[in-house]
Amino acid sequence: MADSLLILNAGSSSLKFSLFSDTDPPALTIRGQIEGLQTASKFCARDASGAVVSEHSWPAGAKLSHDEAVEFLFDWGRQHQQSNSRVVAAGHRIVHGGTQFTKPVIIDGRVLNELDSLVPLAPLHQPHNVSAIRAVAKHSPKLPQVACFDTSFHRTLPRVAQHF
């Protein structure tokens, strides 16, 4: 059975995902998104060449939460992906790591609490990023999750650019 890495980018109204083979280097196998969360939700998945492999729309008026989007994604993966592939870790794009997170970190209860404390610094993004982490943990409690921070990039810039 081949191992895969799930990468999630949870926004305010979408959940973008990519699935990579756990090889060196990792190879993209599938990517897509669920857009229109809380409004008119639509799902689309594409293979590595960009060809559409699956689409789904919810009925008008259906409001899909991040939890429901993650659950749909895992269910879809079980039904439509190759049965010889299993997700062994999940990575999350997180907008704000504050001063305490300067590189990717394995997510545990302490990290999750610290991410919650940073919501005031990125109120339009951070709650959705954290929601996806919780949804994955609810679905697969033993699945390792890693947070990668936008702010880590900014810390590598010259000091004047950081302050600007």
Side-chain angles (χ1 to χ4, degrees), residues 62-100:
K63 293 185 175 186
L64 200 64
S65 69
H66 283 83
D67 282 358
E68 292 165 325
V70 167
E71 192 63 35
F72 172 85
L73 190 57
F74 274 100
D75 289 343
W76 176 83
R78 273 194 302 275
Q79 295 171 16
H80 294 88
Q81 282 301 97
Q82 302 139 343
S83 59
N84 62 351
S85 177
R86 67 182 174 146
V87 174
V88 295
H92 297 266
R93 176 213 174 205
I94 307 296
V95 169
H96 218 299
T99 57
Q100 56 270 56

Side-chain angles (χ1 to χ4, degrees), residues 130-152:
V130 173
S131 177
I133 294 168
R134 285 199 169 93
V136 170
K138 179 179 171 184
H139 181 274
S140 300
K142 294 184 180 185
L143 185 69
Q145 297 188 72
V146 175
C148 299
F149 304 95
D150 288 3
T151 50
S152 293

Side-chain angles (χ1 to χ4, degrees), residues 5-164:
L5 307 171
L6 174 64
I7 309 302
L8 296 173
N9 179 355
S12 59
S13 63
S14 68
L15 178 66
K16 296 178 180 93
F17 68 94
S18 297
L19 195 65
F20 289 85
S21 63
D22 187 13
T23 56
D24 188 15
L28 177 68
T29 57
I30 198 147
R31 64 181 168 82
Q33 68 180 17
I34 302 173
E35 60 184 17
L37 297 180
Q38 299 297 326
T39 58
S41 301
K42 294 179 183 178
F43 167 80
C44 182
R46 297 176 183 274
D47 66 16
S49 71
V52 174
V53 295
S54 185
E55 293 180 298
H56 178 79
S57 294
W58 282 262
K63 293 185 175 186
L64 200 64
S65 69
H66 283 83
D67 282 358
E68 292 165 325
V70 167
E71 192 63 35
F72 172 85
L73 190 57
F74 274 100
D75 289 343
W76 176 83
R78 273 194 302 275
Q79 295 171 16
H80 294 88
Q81 282 301 97
Q82 302 139 343
S83 59
N84 62 351
S85 177
R86 67 182 174 146
V87 174
V88 295
H92 297 266
R93 176 213 174 205
I94 307 296
V95 169
H96 218 299
T99 57
Q100 56 270 56
F101 300 116
T102 58
K103 58 186 177 184
V105 62
I106 295 174
I107 300 167
D108 60 16
R110 179 193 63 80
V111 169
L112 197 52
N113 287 337
E114 290 187 37
L115 295 177
D116 274 333
S117 75
L118 298 172
V119 166
L121 300 177
L124 299 178
H125 302 283
Q126 198 84 355
H128 307 294
N129 300 158
V130 173
S131 177
I133 294 168
R134 285 199 169 93
V136 170
K138 179 179 171 184
H139 181 274
S140 300
K142 294 184 180 185
L143 185 69
Q145 297 188 72
V146 175
C148 299
F149 304 95
D150 288 3
T151 50
S152 293
F153 163 78
H154 299 288
R155 295 182 64 80
T156 65
L157 297 175
R159 191 158 175 77
V160 69
Q162 288 182 35
H163 288 283
F164 180 71

